[in-house]
Amino acid sequence: TAPPDWMLYNTIRGGGMSLPSSLGIAASGNVWVSSYLSVVSEFSPSGAAVFPAGLSGNGINQSYGMALDIQGNVWIANEQTSANSGVGDVTELNSSGQLIASSITNGGIYFPVAATADSNGNMWIVDYGDSKVTLLGSSGAPLSGTGGWGGTSLEFPVALAVDSKHNAWVANQAGQLPITRISADGSQVTNFKCDCDGASGIAADQNDNVWVANYSSSTVSEVNSCGTVLLDAVTGGGLQQPQGIAIDGAGTAWVANLHGNSISELAGSASTLHGTFLSPSSGFGTDAALLDPYGLAVDASGSIWVTNSGNNTLTQFIGVAVPVSTPLAGPPQLP
């Protein structure tokens, strides 16, 4: 019997993963994974665990968000500083997993849930607790003042992407204006409306178009750099409570379906098939034992990596996408 699709995949276990969520890929090709239950893991391109039990301590706790900066340092957003209390902080490790800084709370960090790097070496942090964002310099110094940016424009932000002009685009999980653009210096905050119900994942492409995965409506939306809607809540291709979203080197959008146990593919804005689903109605990877796939990233060989929060595994779909330069900082670029 023919398989549901012809993608080759590799299921990876170990490394201490415990409810894995976000992931980032280093210039070496190594894959870093943050787990909500207080551990960070690193794997070689072939899936071998660099640290058999993962890395813990140093304040790493309840992490949904993690990102690598352009130097390869790992920034971990700890939603709470302890299991049931605390307002959260950020831990920074170097590329070897050694501690650079812990308990970073500068710039208004408050229950942080996501982290994103820009090409200046800065790190953006999404503060779910007070609906703000924080910008940290490469040294951890706050660039967003003492209270963060966003004013009253953000409403339960959960994800962020950076465009080529260093603007931050924020996905708001609640409210009538689910997409917010914040200028690189924080001086301009603009909200945009789309049919984005439960916006949970966001990514910028090479043309500064912004793609949003809408968890509640099982759809994907896209706006251009001015906030004009290009795709409004399209559905199909296996979308089911999408969470993670990433853009490959050709501008194609890839989506992790948290409760569909699959990934979806949409033709990008540079394609004559823009917005068309390239994945079947059930999505790709339905034979790959995905379980509650949360985060998704593309590496420099074109493989897609997906964290499975439901069974503590990492899945590599080998060479199915167009490669991107890693680590990701701003819109994806070809290697």
Side-chain angles (χ1 to χ4, degrees), residues 24 37-38 60 74-75 112 122 172 202 204 209 242 266 281 284 299 319:
L37 298 180
S38 309
I60 297 170
V74 184
W75 298 71
N122 301 325
N172 298 296
I202 192 166
N209 299 317
L266 293 90
S281 59
F284 286 132
D299 72 12

PDB file of all heavy atoms in Angstrom, residues 24 37-38 60 74-75 112 122 172 202 204 209 242 266 281 284 299 319:
ATOM      1  N   GLY A  24      15.142  26.236  17.444  1.00  0.00           N
ATOM      2  CA  GLY A  24      15.957  27.102  16.616  1.00  0.00           C
ATOM      3  C   GLY A  24      17.127  26.315  16.061  1.00  0.00           C
ATOM      4  O   GLY A  24      17.578  25.340  16.680  1.00  0.00           O
ATOM      5  N   LEU A  37       8.751  21.958  30.354  1.00  0.00           N
ATOM      6  CA  LEU A  37       9.060  21.412  31.671  1.00  0.00           C
ATOM      7  C   LEU A  37      10.556  21.485  31.962  1.00  0.00           C
ATOM      8  O   LEU A  37      11.243  20.488  32.212  1.00  0.00           O
ATOM      9  CB  LEU A  37       8.525  19.983  31.792  1.00  0.00           C
ATOM     10  CG  LEU A  37       6.998  19.876  31.654  1.00  0.00           C
ATOM     11  CD1 LEU A  37       6.532  18.447  31.789  1.00  0.00           C
ATOM     12  CD2 LEU A  37       6.285  20.768  32.676  1.00  0.00           C
ATOM     13  N   SER A  38      11.090  22.704  31.823  1.00  0.00           N
ATOM     14  CA  SER A  38      12.356  23.103  32.448  1.00  0.00           C
ATOM     15  C   SER A  38      13.610  22.446  31.898  1.00  0.00           C
ATOM     16  O   SER A  38      14.527  22.105  32.663  1.00  0.00           O
ATOM     17  CB  SER A  38      12.274  22.859  33.965  1.00  0.00           C
ATOM     18  OG  SER A  38      11.117  23.445  34.497  1.00  0.00           O
ATOM     19  N   ILE A  60      15.970  28.037  33.905  1.00  0.00           N
ATOM     20  CA  ILE A  60      15.170  27.517  32.792  1.00  0.00           C
ATOM     21  C   ILE A  60      13.908  26.878  33.353  1.00  0.00           C
ATOM     22  O   ILE A  60      13.969  25.923  34.126  1.00  0.00           O
ATOM     23  CB  ILE A  60      15.980  26.511  31.957  1.00  0.00           C
ATOM     24  CG1 ILE A  60      17.194  27.200  31.322  1.00  0.00           C
ATOM     25  CG2 ILE A  60      15.107  25.862  30.891  1.00  0.00           C
ATOM     26  CD1 ILE A  60      18.179  26.250  30.668  1.00  0.00           C
ATOM     27  N   VAL A  74      21.806  31.241  22.642  1.00  0.00           N
ATOM     28  CA  VAL A  74      20.453  30.719  22.813  1.00  0.00           C
ATOM     29  C   VAL A  74      19.741  31.528  23.890  1.00  0.00           C
ATOM     30  O   VAL A  74      20.204  31.591  25.038  1.00  0.00           O
ATOM     31  CB  VAL A  74      20.483  29.229  23.210  1.00  0.00           C
ATOM     32  CG1 VAL A  74      19.073  28.667  23.294  1.00  0.00           C
ATOM     33  CG2 VAL A  74      21.323  28.431  22.206  1.00  0.00           C
ATOM     34  N   TRP A  75      18.610  32.142  23.526  1.00  0.00           N
ATOM     35  CA  TRP A  75      17.825  32.953  24.449  1.00  0.00           C
ATOM     36  C   TRP A  75      16.529  32.213  24.769  1.00  0.00           C
ATOM     37  O   TRP A  75      15.776  31.850  23.863  1.00  0.00           O
ATOM     38  CB  TRP A  75      17.511  34.315  23.834  1.00  0.00           C
ATOM     39  CG  TRP A  75      18.721  35.149  23.525  1.00  0.00           C
ATOM     40  CD1 TRP A  75      19.635  34.932  22.540  1.00  0.00           C
ATOM     41  CD2 TRP A  75      19.145  36.330  24.209  1.00  0.00           C
ATOM     42  NE1 TRP A  75      20.602  35.904  22.552  1.00  0.00           N
ATOM     43  CE2 TRP A  75      20.333  36.783  23.566  1.00  0.00           C
ATOM     44  CE3 TRP A  75      18.642  37.056  25.287  1.00  0.00           C
ATOM     45  CZ2 TRP A  75      21.004  37.927  23.981  1.00  0.00           C
ATOM     46  CZ3 TRP A  75      19.317  38.209  25.699  1.00  0.00           C
ATOM     47  CH2 TRP A  75      20.486  38.633  25.052  1.00  0.00           C
ATOM     48  N   PRO A 112       7.105  36.076  29.909  1.00  0.00           N
ATOM     49  CA  PRO A 112       7.501  35.980  28.491  1.00  0.00           C
ATOM     50  C   PRO A 112       7.163  34.616  27.902  1.00  0.00           C
ATOM     51  O   PRO A 112       7.367  33.583  28.553  1.00  0.00           O
ATOM     52  CB  PRO A 112       9.009  36.198  28.535  1.00  0.00           C
ATOM     53  CG  PRO A 112       9.420  35.701  29.901  1.00  0.00           C
ATOM     54  CD  PRO A 112       8.267  36.058  30.817  1.00  0.00           C
ATOM     55  N   ASN A 122      19.865  41.875  18.041  1.00  0.00           N
ATOM     56  CA  ASN A 122      18.949  42.104  19.152  1.00  0.00           C
ATOM     57  C   ASN A 122      17.987  40.932  19.303  1.00  0.00           C
ATOM     58  O   ASN A 122      17.831  40.107  18.392  1.00  0.00           O
ATOM     59  CB  ASN A 122      18.150  43.392  18.931  1.00  0.00           C
ATOM     60  CG  ASN A 122      19.040  44.603  18.794  1.00  0.00           C
ATOM     61  OD1 ASN A 122      20.085  44.693  19.436  1.00  0.00           O
ATOM     62  ND2 ASN A 122      18.636  45.544  17.955  1.00  0.00           N
ATOM     63  N   ASN A 172      -1.651  38.730  18.090  1.00  0.00           N
ATOM     64  CA  ASN A 172      -2.448  38.879  19.300  1.00  0.00           C
ATOM     65  C   ASN A 172      -3.524  37.801  19.324  1.00  0.00           C
ATOM     66  O   ASN A 172      -4.338  37.709  18.405  1.00  0.00           O
ATOM     67  CB  ASN A 172      -3.114  40.256  19.335  1.00  0.00           C
ATOM     68  CG  ASN A 172      -2.103  41.383  19.370  1.00  0.00           C
ATOM     69  OD1 ASN A 172      -1.348  41.511  20.316  1.00  0.00           O
ATOM     70  ND2 ASN A 172      -2.077  42.200  18.317  1.00  0.00           N
ATOM     71  N   ILE A 202       3.305  33.323  13.736  1.00  0.00           N
ATOM     72  CA  ILE A 202       3.489  34.397  12.764  1.00  0.00           C
ATOM     73  C   ILE A 202       4.890  34.293  12.168  1.00  0.00           C
ATOM     74  O   ILE A 202       5.843  33.890  12.841  1.00  0.00           O
ATOM     75  CB  ILE A 202       3.250  35.775  13.438  1.00  0.00           C
ATOM     76  CG1 ILE A 202       3.130  36.900  12.413  1.00  0.00           C
ATOM     77  CG2 ILE A 202       4.318  36.070  14.474  1.00  0.00           C
ATOM     78  CD1 ILE A 202       2.567  38.195  12.990  1.00  0.00           C
ATOM     79  N   ALA A 204       7.472  36.163   8.800  1.00  0.00           N
ATOM     80  CA  ALA A 204       7.649  37.115   7.704  1.00  0.00           C
ATOM     81  C   ALA A 204       8.386  36.438   6.559  1.00  0.00           C
ATOM     82  O   ALA A 204       9.308  35.650   6.783  1.00  0.00           O
ATOM     83  CB  ALA A 204       8.429  38.338   8.182  1.00  0.00           C
ATOM     84  N   ASN A 209       5.959  40.171   3.481  1.00  0.00           N
ATOM     85  CA  ASN A 209       4.591  39.762   3.762  1.00  0.00           C
ATOM     86  C   ASN A 209       4.605  38.952   5.052  1.00  0.00           C
ATOM     87  O   ASN A 209       5.570  38.241   5.342  1.00  0.00           O
ATOM     88  CB  ASN A 209       4.027  38.920   2.620  1.00  0.00           C
ATOM     89  CG  ASN A 209       3.981  39.690   1.323  1.00  0.00           C
ATOM     90  OD1 ASN A 209       3.602  40.856   1.283  1.00  0.00           O
ATOM     91  ND2 ASN A 209       4.400  39.059   0.235  1.00  0.00           N
ATOM     92  N   PRO A 242      -3.719  25.215  13.853  1.00  0.00           N
ATOM     93  CA  PRO A 242      -2.301  25.433  13.552  1.00  0.00           C
ATOM     94  C   PRO A 242      -1.614  26.251  14.641  1.00  0.00           C
ATOM     95  O   PRO A 242      -2.220  27.133  15.252  1.00  0.00           O
ATOM     96  CB  PRO A 242      -2.347  26.192  12.231  1.00  0.00           C
ATOM     97  CG  PRO A 242      -3.667  26.910  12.250  1.00  0.00           C
ATOM     98  CD  PRO A 242      -4.601  25.976  12.943  1.00  0.00           C
ATOM     99  N   LEU A 266       1.680  25.845   1.952  1.00  0.00           N
ATOM    100  CA  LEU A 266       0.981  26.790   1.085  1.00  0.00           C
ATOM    101  C   LEU A 266       1.987  27.468   0.163  1.00  0.00           C
ATOM    102  O   LEU A 266       3.083  27.856   0.588  1.00  0.00           O
ATOM    103  CB  LEU A 266       0.267  27.882   1.882  1.00  0.00           C
ATOM    104  CG  LEU A 266      -0.913  27.501   2.759  1.00  0.00           C
ATOM    105  CD1 LEU A 266      -0.423  27.137   4.168  1.00  0.00           C
ATOM    106  CD2 LEU A 266      -1.923  28.643   2.842  1.00  0.00           C
ATOM    107  N   SER A 281      -5.605  17.109   1.765  1.00  0.00           N
ATOM    108  CA  SER A 281      -6.641  17.522   2.705  1.00  0.00           C
ATOM    109  C   SER A 281      -6.371  17.070   4.131  1.00  0.00           C
ATOM    110  O   SER A 281      -6.872  17.673   5.087  1.00  0.00           O
ATOM    111  CB  SER A 281      -8.004  16.990   2.258  1.00  0.00           C
ATOM    112  OG  SER A 281      -7.982  15.569   2.173  1.00  0.00           O
ATOM    113  N   PHE A 284       0.465  16.781   5.359  1.00  0.00           N
ATOM    114  CA  PHE A 284       1.604  15.892   5.185  1.00  0.00           C
ATOM    115  C   PHE A 284       2.002  15.275   6.532  1.00  0.00           C
ATOM    116  O   PHE A 284       1.737  15.831   7.592  1.00  0.00           O
ATOM    117  CB  PHE A 284       2.809  16.655   4.635  1.00  0.00           C
ATOM    118  CG  PHE A 284       2.712  17.017   3.182  1.00  0.00           C
ATOM    119  CD1 PHE A 284       3.000  18.312   2.757  1.00  0.00           C
ATOM    120  CD2 PHE A 284       2.365  16.078   2.227  1.00  0.00           C
ATOM    121  CE1 PHE A 284       2.942  18.661   1.418  1.00  0.00           C
ATOM    122  CE2 PHE A 284       2.301  16.410   0.880  1.00  0.00           C
ATOM    123  CZ  PHE A 284       2.587  17.712   0.473  1.00  0.00           C
ATOM    124  N   ASP A 299      15.814  24.197   7.994  1.00  0.00           N
ATOM    125  CA  ASP A 299      17.262  24.312   8.134  1.00  0.00           C
ATOM    126  C   ASP A 299      17.946  24.590   6.797  1.00  0.00           C
ATOM    127  O   ASP A 299      17.299  24.746   5.743  1.00  0.00           O
ATOM    128  CB  ASP A 299      17.839  23.079   8.837  1.00  0.00           C
ATOM    129  CG  ASP A 299      17.843  21.813   7.972  1.00  0.00           C
ATOM    130  OD1 ASP A 299      17.611  21.890   6.745  1.00  0.00           O
ATOM    131  OD2 ASP A 299      18.090  20.731   8.540  1.00  0.00           O
ATOM    132  N   GLY A 319      14.780  17.216   3.688  1.00  0.00           N
ATOM    133  CA  GLY A 319      14.951  17.856   2.396  1.00  0.00           C
ATOM    134  C   GLY A 319      13.682  18.201   1.634  1.00  0.00           C
ATOM    135  O   GLY A 319      13.697  18.258   0.409  1.00  0.00           O
TER     136      GLY A 319
END
